[in-house]
Amino acid sequence: MSNISAATDTQDYMFDRKAETMPRTELVALQLARLKQTLALAYSKVPHVRAKFDKAGARPEQLKTLADIARFPFATKADLRDTYPFGLFAVPREQVVRLHASSGTTGKATVVGYTSDDIKLWADLMARCFACAGTRPGDILHNGYGYGLFTGGLGAHYGAERLGCTVVPVSGGMTERQVTLLQDFGAHVLCATPSYALNIAEVAEGMGVDIRKLPVRLGIFGAEPWSDAMRHDLEARLGITAVDLYGLSEIIGPGVACECGVARNGLHAWEDHFLFEAIDPKTLEPVPEGEPGELVITTLTKQALPMVRYRSRDITRLTREPCACGRTHVRIMRVTGRDDDMMIIRGVNVYPSQVEALLVGFPGVAPHYQIVLTREGTLDAMTVEVEMTPGALADDVSRGQKAAEVVRHIKAHIGLTCEVAIKAPGEMPRSQGKAVRVKDLRKKT
Ligand code: DLL
């Protein structure tokens, strides 16, 4: 039997209304009970976790309230690398029905595993996210997230089937074919990274296809930081409402949090299955609610890979202010970027998404960009490479003038002096999945 509940005049449509609108006192009691189970599971079944807890002098039975989580050590990507590939699994490998992995920049991938219950949970949470965003059973959902070891494709796939959608499992790439399929199948919902959605929009424009006239009405975009300016640009070009979806492989994949189509103001983060903290990445102390901090997540119901206090490196703000949609769970107020993506240029802290917000919609430039970091003596320098719009004046003088305008615009808004290189249309690489926004040419010392 379906647990999907219809909307009334005042309430948003929900996949699991009871869970999504649970009063805080109940939510806290549920979290505490589940947290105790997770700590006991990780401690008893994962030697690496037991050794870390013992070293920190933290025993699962010492946890009496949610605040006691602060006694327990953090987990990081290094824990996954040190125990590569299966060392953090809390169940015998034979009970793991699925593996995913993310390619690490330092060579070794980080591997995550799921029991069949974990897969079911993941599908339920993704179905919640899709419904929360505005997807409905019966919708055709074009899934442009990459299939394979990346969690995006299969995570969205199972969730969309769980909700009762017709899934088009197209993955990333072959963009002209994607445009044709959007036309021929008449998808209502488009899932992709925001940078790939922009690629689809551009290819459609080049093919003379007006996506705004197609049935697609909703875009569910995530897996990389993106700005509100990019949201508005995608909405205008595709004729859709664009909604933010967040997740990470180490926790479950996509499906950790999603914006609601009602307010689109922060991502509802499912507290019945995860515990969220925001900490100062330097002091490791909690930051007050509403202040920017690093998101730390503990899984509460995962079996194969229970994760205690995983440091996501993602910088965001948490709020428990009520939302117009009626959901009661904490909201993640957009992920500005990862703390390792933050650049410090001549004393100014800047994230790529802040630069993006200034480029989108700037007259004469298209939002295809990359940030190149170099070192001049002891100072770091930043060059923004950005394309001009097709048809813009391409002579050296016009390009120079445009570059100077963009330099002034960035200086005025983020106080940062940088170089700008205007590139010809089509010169910048196009994204097929997660866009590479920063090219770091600084010599590592
Ligand atoms: O990117 C899972 C995912 C797939 C999320 C599809 C949404 C849609 P990973 O490859 O492990 O998993 O990368 C996780 O991507 O820690 C963030 O830094 C970033 N990220 C994911 N979603 C968002 C978002 C998937 N909505 C890492 N905004 C995370 C900003 C995001 N950054």
Side-chain angles (χ1 to χ4, degrees):
M1 204 183 75
S2 166
N3 55 356
I4 298 164
S5 44
T8 66
D9 283 351
T10 52
Q11 288 176 315
D12 192 21
Y13 171 96
M14 293 182 197
F15 179 73
D16 188 345
R17 178 172 303 282
K18 187 165 176 288
E20 292 172 58
T21 59
M22 193 177 281
R24 182 133 298 274
T25 44
E26 268 178 55
L27 210 44
V28 166
L30 184 65
Q31 285 191 308
L32 184 59
R34 289 179 165 179
L35 180 58
K36 286 179 178 172
Q37 285 168 3
T38 295
L39 293 177
L41 174 72
Y43 188 79
S44 62
K45 301 287 185 199
V46 189
H48 180 84
V49 170
R50 187 180 323 132
K52 282 183 67 178
F53 282 18
D54 285 346
K55 195 166 167 222
R59 307 269 310 180
E61 58 276 13
Q62 289 170 337
L63 184 113
K64 304 287 180 224
T65 68
L66 289 180
D68 292 338
I69 191 67
R71 293 165 173 253
F72 290 82
F74 293 104
T76 66
K77 237 183 191 5
D79 291 295
L80 286 147
R81 296 223 175 93
D82 293 348
T83 56
Y84 176 88
F86 305 149
L88 288 188
F89 291 176
V91 298
R93 203 268 313 138
E94 292 74 10
Q95 289 174 28
V96 173
V97 300
R98 175 95 66 79
L99 298 172
H100 281 283
S102 59
S103 53
T105 40
T106 54
K108 265 188 192 169
T110 48
V111 179
V112 299
Y114 303 76
T115 64
S116 55
D117 282 349
D118 291 335
I119 294 284
K120 188 179 166 301
L121 168 71
W122 191 15
D124 282 346
L125 292 182
M126 272 305 292
R128 250 195 223 185
C129 288
F130 281 145
C132 179
T135 313
R136 298 294 173 256
D139 278 341
I140 299 175
L141 183 141
H142 179 107
N143 187 12
Y145 286 121
Y147 281 63
L149 286 175
F150 175 51
T151 52
L154 284 167
H157 184 107
Y158 276 58
E161 285 190 352
R162 177 76 180 94
L163 183 62
C165 299
T166 306
V167 187
V168 186
V170 59
S171 195
M174 308 217 324
T175 310
E176 293 200 353
R177 189 182 66 165
Q178 303 236 359
V179 173
T180 306
L181 291 178
L182 280 167
Q183 269 185 306
D184 294 352
F185 294 172
H188 306 102
V189 181
L190 169 64
C191 292
T193 60
S195 59
Y196 190 53
L198 181 69
N199 189 349
I200 294 176
E202 186 189 35
V203 168
E205 283 154 17
M207 291 164 71
V209 175
D210 188 349
I211 297 215
R212 293 170 302 179
K213 299 205 172 114
L214 302 182
V216 63
R217 61 165 203 277
L218 176 64
I220 303 180
F221 302 140
E224 62 186 5
W226 54 307
S227 58
D228 268 332
M230 182 66 88
R231 185 207 298 267
H232 298 136
D233 192 55
L234 288 169
E235 290 186 333
R237 292 169 84 154
L238 296 167
I240 55 166
T241 299
V243 172
D244 196 8
L245 169 68
Y246 172 80
L248 58 169
S249 326
E250 294 83 352
I251 295 305
I252 201 163
V256 174
C258 190
E259 281 181 326
C260 61
V262 173
R264 291 195 299 150
N265 182 20
L267 300 97
H268 297 273
W270 308 125
E271 287 186 277
D272 47 341
H273 294 283
F274 309 108
L275 180 73
F276 297 93
E277 301 172 74
I279 61 162
D280 178 325
K282 294 212 170 61
T283 64
L284 306 183
E285 292 298 322
V287 296
E289 189 170 310
E291 295 292 317
E294 178 183 341
L295 188 63
V296 172
I297 312 176
T298 299
T299 64
L300 298 176
T301 49
K302 284 270 296 299
Q303 296 175 339
L305 187 62
M307 199 52 97
V308 177
R309 303 196 88 196
Y310 185 73
R311 289 188 60 184
S312 68
R313 312 297 300 263
D314 292 327
I315 303 297
T316 184
R317 291 177 293 119
L318 296 179
T319 178
R320 291 194 171 78
E321 294 283 309
C323 180
C325 71
R327 290 178 180 82
T328 49
H329 295 230
V330 69
R331 273 176 298 150
I332 295 174
M333 301 308 285
R334 219 186 231 296
V335 172
T336 353
R338 299 175 60 77
D339 78 340
D340 33 12
D341 283 347
M342 192 186 77
M343 305 168 289
I344 305 177
I345 310 293
R346 295 171 206 275
V348 180
N349 296 359
V350 55
Y351 286 102
S353 58
Q354 288 174 281
V355 176
E356 173 184 295
L358 297 176
L359 297 176
V360 177
F362 192 85
V365 302
H368 304 292
Y369 72 97
Q370 214 167 28
I371 293 166
V372 183
L373 298 178
T374 48
R375 184 159 292 158
E376 292 164 5
T378 55
L379 285 183
D380 287 343
M382 178 175 115
T383 303
V384 177
E385 297 182 342
V386 61
E387 269 183 35
M388 55 188 177
T389 44
L393 291 173
D395 61 282
D396 286 351
V397 175
S398 307
R399 281 197 199 203
Q401 280 170 353
K402 186 52 71 186
E405 281 174 33
V406 178
V407 167
R408 278 199 299 276
H409 188 54
I410 293 175
K411 173 82 182 160
H413 286 85
I414 27 188
L416 172 73
T417 308
C418 64
E419 303 268 319
V420 169
I422 303 288
K423 302 285 181 180
E427 206 177 331
M428 297 304 298
R430 295 295 189 266
S431 162
Q432 304 275 314
K434 290 185 194 245
V436 179
R437 292 305 189 194
V438 179
K439 214 158 63 180
D440 193 347
L441 304 180
R442 293 172 297 184
K443 283 203 191 70
K444 298 275 181 272
T445 46

